[in-house]
Amino acid sequence: MTFLSTPVKSAINKLSTQLETPFFVYDLDALNTHLARLVAQTDVKLWYAVKANPLSTVIQCLDKAGFNFDVASKGELEQVLAQGINSERVLNTGPAKSPAQIKHFIERGVRTFVAESLNQVRWLNEQAVDQQCQLQVLLRVQLRWPEGEKNPLGGDSLTPFGLGCDEWLALNTHQYPALNFDGLHIFQWGNMLSSDKLAELWSQMITPLQQLASKLGVNLNVLDLGGGLGIPYTQNDDTLSWDALITALANIKRHAGVNELWMELGRYAVGECGHYANPVVERKLNYGQQQVILSGGINHLLRPAVTNQDFPAQLLRNSTAENQAMSLYGPLCTALDCLGEHQLPNDLNEHDWLVFSQCGAYGFTESMPYFLCHELAAEYVIHNGELNCVRQAADASDYLR
């Protein structure tokens, strides 16, 4: 497995001779090839989780491929609509749907929502009545396994996403005439790399969800399994089989007896198309540890500090030198600004660039770009073999007031 294709490496080589600060490159040609394979099936309705990467050109690729769009904020909604996408293809998810946000979404034409609480159900109905429309609503369910058993759906932690089955039983669906309760939504894990494990988890969910729908008098027309499909971040990681997943999902759909099965793909849809090029500032030996200080860090790639899982990194230039362990650090004045330990050629020096791959999802927009007032990273795309700038690097003077 190689994370850096020839077209991407060529583009980054070219840009590294022109630029002095970090930048992202998204290979839209590779993305389009990947998306075409994902939509070549009829078992699952696919939504793109915009949180993964809201870049306009990326959204346009998903649009052309036929994806619908899962948005969780007013900003994401407006970004999607700005690409000419019809609001009928938008699903509103997220735990913080205030009455004001719901009102805005309905005014903008959105009619499909995931309700995460009894309050959200009430607010959705109130706003729908005020605007004289009907809404399609899925209830988000958070399952927990019996005490003492390891919850296979994301550990034992309680999260703010949705409600448990017992809490949803307080809902009287007949009190909300403007809402069509059309199914259930469940999603409690992330970056899964085993097709068999995913199939096992999905199978375990069918019975409790069917029971809940029956008790609530909800027609289980739609089952939304969220996302959670993973991509490899090391050469040794497993890789999901899309064909095996579709076979498993077709079985889930049949056993659950639903008319529509939905999935909201983020990382799995766009993660592998993105790369982050980062110039080396300095290399030093400290207490026997090889340390590399880079121009960019968690101000552009926060994920390693949040998940303790690094993006794969490699030296941009070719080298025949032996690899050795090096710890990579960004420019911020915090020990959190670490991009992990990597095996890199031992002739690495301050004239080099490193390239981090698998950054198409949860990259720049998940970062903390304003801390210490460093430059914002530029973003480029490769489309139809051509390299184009989407956004130039910006100095702090461009955003400080």
Side-chain angles (χ1 to χ4, degrees):
M1 180 192 302
T2 177
F3 291 120
L4 197 59
S5 68
T6 299
V8 171
K9 186 171 184 179
S10 176
I12 294 176
N13 265 316
K14 177 182 177 180
L15 291 170
S16 68
T17 65
Q18 303 169 0
L19 304 175
E20 297 180 351
T21 56
F23 57 89
F24 287 85
V25 173
Y26 306 100
D27 186 351
L28 302 186
D29 294 334
L31 175 60
N32 287 331
T33 299
H34 175 59
L35 296 178
R37 185 160 181 263
L38 299 187
V39 298
Q41 48 80 31
T42 58
D43 294 296
V44 185
K45 182 175 182 177
L46 296 177
W47 303 78
Y48 173 53
V50 176
K51 65 179 181 178
N53 189 333
L55 195 68
S56 57
T57 52
V58 169
I59 290 175
Q60 290 162 16
C61 289
L62 274 294
D63 176 29
K64 292 177 182 177
F67 273 68
N68 300 284
F69 294 87
D70 158 24
V71 304
S73 71
K74 178 181 177 181
E76 287 186 351
L77 172 63
E78 295 305 318
Q79 173 71 335
V80 168
L81 297 183
Q83 312 313 313
I85 295 163
N86 193 302
S87 58
E88 293 179 357
R89 295 169 56 200
V90 171
L91 166 69
N92 183 204
T93 63
K97 300 184 194 71
S98 66
Q101 177 176 302
I102 291 170
K103 180 176 185 290
H104 178 80
F105 270 67
I106 295 176
E107 288 175 343
R108 297 292 273 149
V110 178
R111 294 293 181 267
T112 306
F113 294 81
V114 171
E116 309 247 1
S117 68
L118 297 172
N119 285 328
Q120 287 186 13
V121 170
R122 176 167 55 85
W123 295 335
L124 284 164
N125 187 75
E126 290 172 351
Q127 294 299 327
V129 170
D130 286 346
Q131 299 192 44
Q132 298 181 334
C133 64
Q134 289 288 126
L135 304 180
Q136 181 185 29
V137 174
L138 307 185
L139 305 178
R140 181 161 185 174
V141 182
Q142 184 175 161
L143 293 179
R144 304 191 81 187
W145 259 231
E147 185 177 355
E149 291 187 27
K150 177 66 176 176
N151 180 352
L153 302 178
D156 299 316
S157 300
L158 187 65
T159 73
F161 306 112
L163 293 175
C165 292
D166 289 344
E167 285 74 18
W168 275 125
L169 290 178
L171 176 67
N172 182 350
T173 58
H174 299 294
Q175 294 179 345
Y176 306 98
L179 307 183
N180 298 322
F181 295 97
D182 209 24
L184 301 175
H185 175 290
I186 184 165
F187 171 38
Q188 296 180 218
W189 60 89
N191 202 41
M192 297 288 291
L193 292 171
S194 169
S195 304
D196 291 340
K197 184 63 175 178
L198 278 167
E200 177 188 345
L201 294 174
W202 290 331
S203 296
Q204 291 182 59
M205 294 186 299
I206 295 175
T207 297
L209 293 179
Q210 287 176 325
Q211 291 173 345
L212 176 61
S214 177
K215 291 176 181 178
L216 289 174
V218 169
N219 177 28
L220 195 55
N221 180 52
V222 176
L223 179 57
D224 185 342
L225 297 177
L229 308 189
I231 62 173
Y233 286 97
T234 74
Q235 300 286 356
N236 299 321
D237 283 344
D238 293 331
T239 302
L240 287 175
S241 166
W242 180 245
D243 292 338
L245 287 171
I246 289 300
T247 298
L249 289 165
N251 289 332
I252 296 295
K253 184 178 182 179
R254 183 174 63 256
H255 292 157
V258 296
N259 294 326
E260 294 186 20
L261 195 63
W262 294 359
M263 293 204 73
E264 299 146 10
L265 303 184
R267 185 197 328 264
Y268 191 74
V270 301
E272 294 182 302
C273 81
H275 307 267
Y276 171 65
N278 198 352
V280 174
V281 173
E282 179 187 9
R283 174 182 169 185
K284 62 184 181 182
L285 182 66
N286 188 19
Y287 281 93
Q289 180 188 66
Q290 291 290 334
Q291 296 180 316
V292 178
I293 314 302
L294 300 167
S295 179
I298 60 174
N299 55 320
H300 297 157
L301 285 181
L302 181 62
R303 186 177 182 277
V306 174
T307 66
N308 292 318
Q309 185 175 45
D310 310 322
F311 288 98
Q314 65 185 85
L315 187 63
L316 176 59
R317 66 173 169 86
N318 296 325
S319 173
T320 58
E322 291 186 3
N323 285 347
Q324 69 178 102
M326 300 186 188
S327 297
L328 309 184
Y329 298 91
L332 305 185
C333 297
T334 168
L336 292 174
D337 194 8
C338 178
L339 299 181
E341 183 176 291
H342 299 263
Q343 292 290 325
L344 295 166
N346 61 22
D347 63 347
L348 181 150
N349 59 70
E350 66 272 14
H351 302 294
D352 281 320
W353 286 71
L354 297 184
V355 181
F356 296 81
S357 297
Q358 309 296 79
C359 302
Y362 306 117
F364 186 48
T365 57
E366 193 189 37
S367 65
M368 44 190 296
Y370 302 118
F371 188 40
L372 261 73
C373 303
H374 285 281
E375 299 88 353
L376 302 186
E379 292 183 289
Y380 293 81
V381 297
I382 299 172
H383 189 213
N384 293 330
E386 295 185 359
L387 180 66
N388 293 292
C389 182
V390 176
R391 183 169 56 81
Q392 296 281 357
D395 290 330
S397 58
D398 290 347
Y399 58 82
L400 289 177
R401 298 293 182 267

